[in-house]
Amino acid sequence: STGRTVREVPLPGHARHLQLAAPGGPVLVPAEDSDTLVLVGLPEGGTTQVDVGEYPHDAAQVEGGEILVADELGGTLSVVVDGEVTRTLDSQTQPGGIAAVGPLAGVVDVADFTLSVYDVAAGQRRAVADAGEGPTHVVTDLRDRLLVADTRGDAVLVFGADPLALLETYRLPGTPYGVAHDDAAQVLWVTLTGRNEVVGLSTAGERLTEVARFPTVRQPNTVAVDPGSGRVFVASRATGELQLIDP
């Protein structure tokens, strides 16, 4: 609520992206150069470490409790259950962003420019689709749509998850990169690293519409939102600053 640091949790390696496994935690922290997934309990900050594949980039938990980890440099996906890797999938080239839709997970392959949907419990890839000119990250909305940042394509791509199908291409110049969805307000927040801005796009209708735009710190690589207050948090890769925005 104030932006003041109240606790620091040591990690075994560098972290770029965070996701909540569920409301209240734990926080899923891929520690990239240590090849581990760290589960950080809230609010006390206790940690559990799981050895996964090479250079884990992102992770998400599906409704069955399985955690899917994108091992970016290993070209694999690790399925984690009860603190252990129970299955490794090798159907990706360079997996990046991951988002959960019920029992399914959407995975961006940043090398193949694709979006895949997996049945995580079954360990099966259900479908794969082209995802623009350079997709990086993905989140979901209340309509069970997958919202992909096409960073090199200057667009947000909207996919239906089941069946996997492209529904909309929303042009968004400025190198969209970080994404977060506010379920309460039904707003997708997207950082534009080429313009040092963050944009709010309403997901309440059939098509995306812009509802907000703010200047940000330099190189705004990551964005998050407090679902209770709607406050938006933007992190700078260049300066190490955290910006708080009350839209």
Side-chain angles (χ1 to χ4, degrees), residues 111-223:
D112 288 344
F113 305 161
T114 59
L115 174 68
S116 297
V117 169
Y118 287 83
D119 181 327
V120 179
Q124 296 178 345
R125 180 158 69 172
R126 282 195 174 185
V128 58
D130 292 337
E133 300 173 27
T136 50
H137 300 108
V138 56
V139 293
T140 58
D141 66 5
L142 293 181
R143 296 167 177 259
D144 289 343
R145 298 180 299 189
L146 293 161
L147 313 170
V148 177
D150 182 5
T151 300
R152 280 188 288 251
D154 279 340
V156 172
L157 309 179
V158 182
F159 289 85
D162 191 15
L164 180 62
L166 179 63
L167 305 177
E168 180 184 1
T169 298
Y170 185 92
R171 297 299 174 189
L172 193 61
T175 318
Y177 188 74
V179 286
H181 191 261
D182 183 343
D183 286 351
Q186 296 191 68
V187 173
L188 171 69
W189 292 98
V190 186
T191 66
L192 301 180
T193 57
R195 295 187 174 184
N196 295 332
E197 292 180 338
V198 63
V199 177
L201 304 175
S202 173
T203 60
E206 292 297 325
R207 304 188 70 81
L208 301 180
T209 56
E210 183 173 328
V211 294
R213 184 179 290 252
F214 298 97
T216 67
V217 289
R218 284 196 300 120
Q219 194 65 33
N221 274 18
T222 302
V223 60

Side-chain angles (χ1 to χ4, degrees), residues 1 189 214 226 229-233 243-247:
S1 59
W189 292 98
F214 298 97
D226 179 347
S229 67
R231 173 169 283 180
V232 177
F233 301 82
Q243 179 180 11
L244 284 64
I245 300 172
D246 289 323

Side-chain angles (χ1 to χ4, degrees), residues 68 77-80 84-89 119-124:
L68 191 65
L77 299 169
S78 296
V79 180
V80 176
E84 295 184 356
V85 174
T86 59
R87 178 177 283 146
T88 300
L89 311 178
D119 181 327
V120 179
Q124 296 178 345

